[in-house]
Amino acid sequence: MKNFKRLFLIAWVALTATGCSVNSPLGQIVMSGDFPDYQLYTYDFASQELKSMGIPSRGDNHAWSPDYTQVVHDCYIDQQTNLCLSSRDGLTTEILLKSDHSYGRSFRSWATWTPDGKGITFVTTPPVPWDENDRATLYTVNVQTKEVVQLIDLPNNLGYVSALAWISEDELLIGLTENIHTGHILVWDTQTWTPRKLAEGLYPTWSPDAKRIAYHRHSACLSEQACFTKSPDKDTFRPLYSSRFDIFTIDPEGREETLVLNTFDLPDQTICPASFGFAWSPDGRYLAFTEACGESDPGDLYILRVADGHVERIIEDIGIFPHVLSWIGILPKQ
């Protein structure tokens, strides 16, 4: 017994000294890299390495199947941006839908998997500038048969789709963004196609346990000094250099809105979340986001512990310009 206690004490001291914890984040954070080479990249918590997955991804969009074995993404093949499926190991990529389809002009719209993993829901958007009669349209494509089903035309007066996620077979979360400052978070009843509004915010992201939605609000300011006060100016003319992004969560009924991160309270008051939304860790304890306060700044990768708002920088100067983030778990051994 004495030897057991001694070994336990030695192990505990070693873990404490190295900063390790059984509660440390696990899995991989995936980023859609924009410039310079348009790839999917992963940051692995076990190896602490950032590397390319070998999957070409042209655009902002990617989403993982419920079992994490396949990813749907935009890909640039034959001089066209198509909707593609790739295996997690990057060894296989197939075109799911070509861009010269007859049911829309663009796939650039946050494809998401249906709850059963058999279909992918996506949005087509009209060209800019929009005509007053144009509508963004929701579709679902069957992964096996490639059959496409039209779901509904969305109202264009609330902005463009910036987030899409199935909550259940009967509910679909949609984020609509008017500009970089304002947005609407809606949940649609897919039986009647009637929406209910949850909150005002940008890039809502659904938690793995289906209990919380994370999003941020953007406060633009007349000056950088004014931005980091308790009541920033509401002028929306300034660029990201004079902005505050505060992170919130809310429940599926639009109640219990919680401020998770107030950038005013951070020691480094220049954090500007730049990724289009956040990535929940598979256990729902963390949110990942990227930071860049300037358009030419590749920025840094952060994780936020939801329970207490603790922020940790994982990578300084990522070296790529990431957009959409996801967080995938460890595959079970075969």
Side-chain angles (χ1 to χ4, degrees), residues 104-183:
R105 273 83 73 189
S106 174
F107 286 125
R108 181 187 169 85
S109 296
W110 313 92
T112 188
W113 292 75
T114 55
D116 60 10
K118 297 180 179 180
I120 292 170
T121 301
F122 62 96
V123 183
T124 59
T125 56
V128 178
W130 286 10
D131 181 88
E132 62 179 7
N133 297 317
D134 279 328
R135 293 289 186 272
T137 305
L138 281 176
Y139 296 88
T140 292
V141 55
N142 185 290
V143 173
Q144 296 298 324
T145 67
K146 308 296 191 296
E147 178 186 4
V148 178
V149 176
Q150 181 176 339
L151 302 180
I152 190 175
D153 290 331
L154 297 173
N156 62 6
N157 60 317
L158 295 179
Y160 61 91
V161 174
S162 60
L164 197 63
W166 283 94
I167 297 173
S168 68
E169 293 182 355
D170 300 321
E171 290 187 312
L172 184 64
L173 173 71
I174 299 179
L176 295 168
T177 301
E178 294 184 62
N179 49 53
I180 66 170
H181 309 292
T182 57

Side-chain angles (χ1 to χ4, degrees), residues 55-76:
I55 298 175
S57 179
R58 184 66 175 263
D60 304 330
N61 174 49
H62 79 265
W64 289 92
S65 59
D67 62 2
Y68 299 134
T69 60
Q70 287 184 295
V71 60
V72 59
H73 57 98
D74 295 338
C75 61
Y76 194 67

Side-chain angles (χ1 to χ4, degrees), residues 55-107:
I55 298 175
S57 179
R58 184 66 175 263
D60 304 330
N61 174 49
H62 79 265
W64 289 92
S65 59
D67 62 2
Y68 299 134
T69 60
Q70 287 184 295
V71 60
V72 59
H73 57 98
D74 295 338
C75 61
Y76 194 67
I77 297 177
D78 297 331
Q79 298 182 337
Q80 290 183 328
T81 300
N82 307 293
L83 196 63
C84 289
L85 278 177
S86 292
S87 59
R88 179 165 171 170
D89 56 17
L91 297 179
T92 62
T93 294
E94 64 171 308
I95 296 177
L96 181 63
L97 288 175
K98 293 185 177 180
S99 60
D100 58 354
H101 53 80
S102 59
Y103 36 82
R105 273 83 73 189
S106 174
F107 286 125

